[in-house]
Amino acid sequence: AQSVTQLDSQVPVFEEAPVELRCNYSSSVSVYLFWYVQYPNQGLQLLLKYLSGSTLVKGINGFEAEFNKSQTSFHLRKPSVHISDTAEYFCAVSGSGYSTLTFGKGTMLLVSP
Amino acid sequence: KAGVTQTPRYLIKTRGQQVTLSCSPISGHRSVSWYQQTPGQGLQFLFEYFSETQRNKGNFPGRFSGRQFSNSRSEMNVSTLELGDSALYLCASSLAGGGNEKLFFGSGTQLSVL
């Protein structure tokens, strides 16, 4: 069985400040890791994914994430946030079989001027 | 390319009724998955279809069912609605439904059960 823990339900931050959204996962098998973003009244959009190889993954909109196998973590970072980054961010895992995602509870990123 | 289209966008039903939600995947995508999103439980997997066959199912009661047509369009049905079924239902499509694939999500159907 797989599980995902997003340690912060809300992260308030000022515009142009750096941000880190934390994600830890648990799985007995190798997994693929994803970060999705959900803007108000919309579906989810993929930010980035880790499949294998380099542990630092770059995504869209200036986001990046680092896979740490020993700490079973996949934290999302952005060096400088914009107001438009205000949204809910979901960390997710899937196994090597079908594309069944197990999501964390989400982290609401609130960017203020 | 058109994105994933879900209809209707909003639905209001009363307890005991049944409801059908529709999802049209991106052209060429053969895998369609459904997720339920609620404030309390978050995003939970319902089921996944590929080439008209259900390949995987989440932990939901039998009142939740789905199907996929030969053109990859999918429907999900909820019978005997309960208040707790109020949620945003999201459909996602991908090429073949592999665990390493990007899922493309629709905007969802917001179901309110009164």
Side-chain angles (χ1 to χ4, degrees):
Chain A
Q2 301 162 345
S3 66
V4 177
T5 303
Q6 290 185 244
L7 297 159
D8 306 296
S9 59
Q10 257 190 30
V11 173
V13 65
F14 289 108
E15 195 174 18
E16 297 182 9
V19 71
E20 178 179 81
L21 305 184
R22 297 179 293 169
C23 171
N24 286 88
Y25 70 93
S26 169
S27 176
S28 56
V29 297
S30 295
V31 295
Y32 302 118
L33 293 156
F34 304 81
W35 275 98
Y36 281 85
V37 60
Q38 186 175 33
Y39 298 101
N41 298 315
Q42 293 186 30
L44 281 74
Q45 178 185 356
L46 181 69
L47 279 176
L48 47 80
K49 62 181 179 180
Y50 173 79
L51 304 181
S52 64
S54 172
T55 57
L56 184 62
V57 180
K58 293 192 183 296
I60 62 171
N61 301 340
F63 285 94
E64 63 181 32
E66 185 150 23
F67 170 63
N68 188 318
K69 189 173 182 179
S70 62
Q71 297 186 7
T72 60
S73 67
F74 190 54
H75 301 333
L76 180 71
R77 301 187 188 106
K78 187 170 182 178
S80 176
V81 295
H82 301 134
I83 297 283
S84 59
D85 292 324
T86 295
E88 190 150 27
Y89 292 78
F90 293 93
C91 182
V93 301
S94 73
S96 58
Y98 305 133
S99 59
T100 302
L101 290 173
T102 300
F103 285 93
K105 294 286 191 186
T107 297
M108 187 67 205
L109 176 63
L110 299 165
V111 183
S112 53
Chain B
K1 244 184 189 178
V4 177
T5 303
Q6 291 188 246
T7 57
R9 187 72 178 90
Y10 300 95
L11 264 179
I12 299 176
K13 293 286 187 180
T14 56
R15 278 185 302 173
Q17 287 187 311
Q18 75 165 22
V19 67
T20 300
L21 313 181
S22 179
C23 172
S24 293
I26 290 173
S27 178
H29 285 192
R30 295 171 66 191
S31 169
V32 174
S33 303
W34 290 89
Y35 290 82
Q36 181 195 64
Q37 185 176 23
T38 59
Q41 298 299 316
L43 283 151
Q44 294 184 286
F45 171 74
L46 281 157
F47 26 64
E48 188 253 352
Y49 286 88
F50 180 82
S51 291
E52 303 178 66
T53 301
Q54 185 183 93
R55 292 198 300 193
N56 207 357
K57 189 177 191 307
N59 190 24
F60 279 83
R63 300 185 297 107
F64 291 81
S65 63
R67 59 178 176 168
Q68 187 181 33
F69 302 95
S70 58
N71 62 357
S72 294
R73 191 178 71 84
S74 177
E75 289 181 347
M76 68 163 280
N77 184 277
V78 188
S79 62
T80 320
L81 284 166
E82 301 178 359
L83 295 178
D85 297 333
S86 293
L88 180 66
Y89 290 89
L90 292 165
C91 163
S93 75
S94 67
L95 281 168
N100 59 350
E101 288 186 36
K102 171 183 177 179
L103 294 188
F104 293 81
F105 284 82
S107 297
T109 293
Q110 183 68 55
L111 172 65
S112 298
V113 182
L114 306 178

